[in-house]
Amino acid sequence: MTLHNVMLAMRMKRSVARKGTEQQSSEDVENHFIQGGDLAFASQLARAKDYDSALKMLEEKYELADAVKDARKTDSLTPIEIALDRVFTEKAAKAAQVSSLSFGSIIGYLYLKQREIRIVRAITFATELGLADDMKKMVFETGGLGTI
């Protein structure tokens, strides 16, 4: 949920920066947030002055200096999304290792399974399009299956 909300706010900021259009109100963006997770931080991103200040906030909160640098260089949010996915996956894996009966371990397990399903879907879709080798290579390079 947090990853979705953060990326939604960042996409909005990037869209405004690219088009040079008037910024959407933060309330409009917040209406599309999924309830749960760290809504306060996603709201701060939506209220940030501009795209660069939102990138700086994201870099400081999750220590994503390399990903932010790559995002600025490529003008793409993909490096940030990959880095955030790794951060949340590591948190979920740690939570799952605490105790087999704790609430955190159950949530961590569900997050990891959701991620696994997303990756299998991506590989299946790529296979249907005839892009299987390229897609599998990208999934493994971005840490899709090899981080845990």
Side-chain angles (χ1 to χ4, degrees), residues 1-14 24-48 54 57-58 61-62 77 80-81 84-85 88 111 114 118:
M1 292 176 269
T2 300
L3 177 62
H4 171 81
N5 293 339
V6 165
M7 290 311 300
L8 179 66
M10 291 305 297
R11 286 185 189 106
M12 184 267 307
K13 289 293 179 190
R14 184 169 150 257
Q24 280 184 299
S25 73
S26 59
E27 290 81 22
D28 290 342
V29 177
E30 290 172 15
N31 286 335
H32 296 288
F33 285 169
I34 296 174
Q35 296 302 309
D38 191 356
L39 283 175
F41 181 68
S43 295
Q44 286 177 348
L45 287 175
R47 292 186 193 113
M57 290 170 61
L58 196 62
K61 169 97 173 168
Y62 294 109
L77 289 173
I80 291 174
E81 192 161 10
L84 281 175
D85 192 37
F88 288 117
Y111 179 80
Q114 177 191 21
R118 226 177 34 234

Side-chain angles (χ1 to χ4, degrees), residues 19 45 69 77 83 133 147:
K19 294 178 184 176
L45 287 175
K69 182 179 169 185
L77 289 173
D133 293 338
T147 57

Side-chain angles (χ1 to χ4, degrees), residues 5-139:
N5 293 339
V6 165
M7 290 311 300
L8 179 66
M10 291 305 297
R11 286 185 189 106
M12 184 267 307
K13 289 293 179 190
R14 184 169 150 257
S15 174
V16 168
R18 274 186 163 178
K19 294 178 184 176
T21 59
E22 186 175 319
Q23 189 167 336
Q24 280 184 299
S25 73
S26 59
E27 290 81 22
D28 290 342
V29 177
E30 290 172 15
N31 286 335
H32 296 288
F33 285 169
I34 296 174
Q35 296 302 309
D38 191 356
L39 283 175
F41 181 68
S43 295
Q44 286 177 348
L45 287 175
R47 292 186 193 113
K49 187 176 97 173
D50 57 14
Y51 178 64
D52 285 330
S53 60
L55 279 175
K56 186 171 176 59
M57 290 170 61
L58 196 62
E59 179 181 359
E60 291 171 359
K61 169 97 173 168
Y62 294 109
E63 300 174 2
L64 301 176
D66 293 337
V68 169
K69 182 179 169 185
D70 290 345
R72 284 188 171 123
K73 185 169 49 171
T74 61
D75 192 30
S76 170
L77 289 173
T78 302
I80 291 174
E81 192 161 10
I82 291 168
L84 281 175
D85 192 37
R86 283 185 180 164
V87 167
F88 288 117
T89 300
E90 288 172 10
K91 284 183 181 181
K94 286 179 185 174
Q97 293 172 356
V98 172
S99 169
S100 60
L101 298 177
S102 72
F103 183 70
S105 66
I106 294 168
I107 296 299
Y109 176 80
L110 291 175
Y111 179 80
L112 295 174
K113 282 298 164 187
Q114 177 191 21
R115 185 171 191 249
E116 183 179 338
I117 290 168
R118 226 177 34 234
I119 291 166
V120 169
R121 283 182 180 164
I123 292 171
T124 303
F125 186 68
T127 303
E128 288 177 5
L129 293 175
L131 305 172
D133 293 338
D134 294 339
M135 184 61 182
K136 287 178 186 175
K137 182 179 177 188
M138 186 210 57
V139 168

